[in-house]
Structure formats: structure tokens, C-alpha cells
């Protein structure tokens, strides 16, 4: 049986206040604003309320200011 690779496959996450839980394995998530792929090991910004990931602090701040 071949092992499937997580390469280039988006993960599904549940965002929590101090971290996130992987619901479906993958190697990245997509920024809700810019559409940029964010590797899981580089993911630092997200919204718990909106369950969205953001590529940078500037994008997160802008997204949260509009809600």
C-alpha cells in the first residue's frame, strides 16, 4: 500500500485561542484574505471566531478591523 503525501494538500484546522487542532492532514492552509498558501509550521495568525487563517499580522489586523 502506498503512503499518501501531504505535499501541496491543504489541511483543515480547528482554530483555538492558543493553538489549532488538525482535522484533516495537509501541509498548508490558505489565507482568508490574500489566498496565499501558509505552511502549517509558519502559521501564526488566525481568528477563532471566524475560523480563518491569515498570512501576516498586517492582514490579520486589517481583517479583524472590518468585522
Amino acid at each position: 500500500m502506498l503512503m499518501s503525501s501531504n505535499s501541496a494538500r491543504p489541511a483543515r484546522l480547528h482554530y483555538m485561542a492558543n493553538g489549532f487542532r488538525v482535522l484533516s492532514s495537509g501541509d498548508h492552509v490558505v489565507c482568508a484574505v490574500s489566498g496565499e498558501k501558509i505552511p502549517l509550521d509558519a502559521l501564526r495568525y488566525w481568528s477563532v471566531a471566524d475560523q480563518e487563517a491569515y498570512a501576516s499580522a498586517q492582514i490579520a489586523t486589517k481583517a479583524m478591523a472590518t468585522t
Side-chain angles (χ1 to χ4, degrees), residues 34-67:
S34 70
E36 178 182 341
K37 288 184 180 179
I38 309 163
L40 293 186
D41 61 349
L43 179 60
R44 303 286 182 268
Y45 308 101
W46 59 81
S47 167
V48 174
D50 297 327
Q51 291 292 294
E52 296 179 331
Y54 306 114
S56 69
Q58 293 82 6
I59 292 172
T61 301
K62 187 175 183 178
M64 291 180 191
T66 61
T67 57

Side-chain angles (χ1 to χ4, degrees), residues 14-37:
H14 176 75
Y15 301 101
M16 299 175 287
N18 294 317
F20 53 83
R21 184 171 26 137
V22 178
L23 301 176
S24 294
S25 63
D27 67 345
H28 70 278
V29 292
V30 177
C31 176
V33 176
S34 70
E36 178 182 341
K37 288 184 180 179

